Amino acid sequence: QLHLQESGPGLVKPSETLSLTCTVSGGSMSGGNYYWGWIRQSPGKVLEWIGSIDYHGITDYNPSLKSRVTISVDTSKKQFSLKMTSVTAADTAVYYCARDTKLAAIIYGGLTYFEHWGQGTLIIVSS
Amino acid sequence: EIVLTQSPATLSLSPGERATLSCRASQTVRSYLAWYQQKPGQAPRLLIYDAFNRATGIPARFTGSGSGTDFTLTISSLEPEDFALYYCQQRANWPLTFGGGTKVEIK
């Protein structure tokens, strides 16, 4: 059973960098050409895709966040990470890590849905 | 960016009733649309992918339909565990986007 678990600071000060890690267990990161994504949900329940990475390290980012976001992967540790710079109160949200589904036919690898999700971690941006 | 508009925002129904949720795209997404269910304190759960295919373990009372810009999720007979938030998501083009959600609440 695939399990994803987010870890992070909980509270980040405005203008600082948010760093989150997702640890994967119960499955391989290297096989199957899966896409690993970060999605956030605002306090108003709006879902926003942040970006995705495959096990080669190829990334896709939401243009609205691209200038501030970096996603990386370490398959040896079975982890992938999110860094977001210059955070503001608008970045306060529950952050989810997720793995895509292979149920759907491939158009382009990163254009996908997410079938396996972590439980989410609440990040509050406040001084 | 493809904007997904869900309606209604809230649907108040009783157990056993039929629920019909709508998702409209600002431009065609062909059949590349999914539906998720989210319960309080939980992550979204994939229900339907590519407009009408049920994901693994999803009961037959959940049916997806539509193509192009107009999509529907139908729950044929609401069970107590179906009262939740529902989101649509498109994968036709970058960036991946989600609708604003429909809350199905107990009347």
Side-chain angles (χ1 to χ4, degrees):
Chain A
Q1 178 92 6
L2 188 71
H3 184 72
L4 293 86
Q5 179 68 58
E6 305 89 350
S7 56
L11 180 66
V12 184
K13 290 183 167 53
S15 80
E16 293 190 344
T17 296
L18 165 65
S19 294
L20 293 173
T21 296
C22 183
T23 301
V24 178
S25 58
S28 171
M29 287 196 79
S30 303
N33 198 25
Y34 292 110
Y35 281 78
W36 306 88
W38 288 98
I39 301 105
R40 68 182 182 179
Q41 187 169 35
S42 69
K45 299 298 185 184
V46 174
L47 286 167
E48 181 178 34
W49 171 72
I50 299 170
S52 300
I53 191 167
D54 73 3
Y55 76 101
H56 295 291
I58 296 172
T59 53
D60 298 294
Y61 295 120
N62 192 321
S64 68
L65 297 167
K66 186 173 183 177
S67 64
R68 298 194 292 129
V69 167
T70 303
I71 297 175
S72 59
V73 65
D74 186 337
T75 56
S76 65
K77 293 183 178 178
K78 296 182 75 173
Q79 293 178 334
F80 62 107
S81 300
L82 169 70
K83 287 192 190 305
M84 181 180 292
T85 61
S86 306
V87 297
T88 70
D91 296 310
T92 293
V94 174
Y95 286 74
Y96 293 100
C97 62
R99 198 206 77 182
D100 76 329
T101 181
K102 290 306 176 209
L103 295 174
I106 294 173
I107 328 170
Y108 166 76
L111 286 170
T112 186
Y113 312 119
F114 295 98
E115 186 175 11
H116 302 277
W117 297 65
Q119 66 184 24
T121 186
L122 175 62
I123 299 297
I124 296 173
V125 179
S126 174
S127 54
Chain B
E1 170 173 321
I2 296 175
V3 176
L4 298 177
T5 302
Q6 291 187 242
S7 62
T10 304
L11 201 50
S12 299
L13 295 168
S14 301
E17 288 194 297
R18 182 185 189 89
T20 303
L21 289 68
S22 173
C23 178
R24 177 163 289 177
S26 60
Q27 58 187 272
T28 182
V29 297
R30 292 168 282 174
S31 61
Y32 299 129
L33 189 107
W35 292 93
Y36 296 84
Q37 177 193 67
Q38 186 180 34
K39 297 180 181 179
Q42 297 183 15
R45 173 194 182 196
L46 181 66
L47 295 177
I48 301 288
Y49 65 94
D50 287 351
F52 57 84
N53 299 286
R54 276 186 291 274
T56 306
I58 302 304
R61 64 181 181 273
F62 292 91
T63 302
S65 62
S67 65
T69 60
D70 290 293
F71 298 84
T72 301
L73 174 69
T74 302
I75 311 171
S76 59
S77 177
L78 283 163
E79 296 287 339
E81 61 267 28
D82 299 336
F83 291 92
L85 264 171
Y86 291 84
Y87 293 92
C88 55
Q89 181 227 319
Q90 64 82 23
R91 70 176 186 114
N93 212 338
W94 300 110
L96 304 176
T97 52
F98 292 85
T102 291
K103 181 181 181 181
V104 178
E105 65 175 24
I106 300 176
K107 187 173 182 180

